[in-house]
Amino acid sequence: MTTPAAIPARRYFEDVEVGEEIPQLIKSPVKHLQLVRYAGASGDFNPLHTDPKVGEEIGTGGIIAHGMLIMGFVGQMLSDYVGPQALRKFGVRFKGMTHLDDVITCTGTVTEKYEEDGKGYIAGKVQAKDQHGDLKVAGTFTAYLLYRNA
């Protein structure tokens, strides 16, 4: 289960300030079935993500989650914050492995607010950590927001 987001129906350019924290998203513990389903949806059937024996054999301590799944969690947080059509750029670097039963918390901060060609943009930093504070992904985003009176 994810944490409910207390987010307005529409976020306008005028409503966002540099330094503003994006409401965090806390995901339920990562489960084996979730990884099998994600493998089917993504087409990434690397057994490292679904077969515990493979993870033990290569030294990862068992199954690890797909990095793109964790990136997707961060993308969900951003989409909840700015709306699904506002995101213009989004990228991350993978920093650590996510294991079964890890609880992932996604956070972000607005670091820039600017206007270009008569449009309002915000940019920021995002990350995902597990319940121990270990960093899993870190990245940046840019989003286009409408003006309130446009």
Side-chain angles (χ1 to χ4, degrees):
M1 170 167 277
T2 60
T3 56
I7 298 171
R10 179 176 297 272
R11 185 165 305 282
Y12 293 99
F13 181 73
E14 295 90 343
D15 299 334
V16 177
E17 298 296 329
V18 171
E20 181 175 320
E21 293 194 18
I22 297 168
Q24 70 180 9
L25 175 67
I26 302 172
K27 298 298 287 185
S28 297
V30 173
K31 296 297 181 188
H32 186 224
L33 180 59
Q34 179 182 29
L35 299 182
V36 171
R37 287 178 173 164
Y38 186 81
S42 68
D44 181 352
F45 294 101
N46 184 329
L48 178 59
H49 304 305
T50 58
D51 185 345
K53 292 177 193 170
V54 171
E56 293 296 335
E57 288 172 4
I58 65 171
T60 61
I63 293 172
I64 62 169
H66 303 76
M68 293 299 288
L69 175 63
I70 309 308
M71 182 181 182
F73 293 165
V74 176
Q76 179 185 356
M77 176 194 69
L78 287 171
S79 181
D80 288 349
Y81 180 64
V82 297
Q85 298 171 353
L87 202 57
R88 293 296 182 259
K89 292 182 184 176
F90 170 43
V92 300
R93 290 201 180 258
F94 301 101
K95 301 291 189 173
M97 293 180 283
T98 300
H99 293 90
L100 292 180
D101 296 320
D102 280 351
V103 175
I104 301 299
T105 300
C106 304
T107 59
T109 305
V110 176
T111 59
E112 189 177 359
K113 181 177 175 179
Y114 60 96
E115 296 179 69
E116 188 175 283
D117 297 325
K119 296 179 180 179
Y121 292 89
I122 61 170
K125 294 183 178 182
V126 292
Q127 63 182 11
K129 293 183 177 182
D130 69 12
Q131 69 276 12
H132 305 292
D134 295 332
L135 187 63
K136 304 302 176 180
V137 301
T140 59
F141 75 94
T142 302
Y144 162 65
L145 297 180
L146 297 175
Y147 294 103
R148 183 175 300 285
N149 298 317

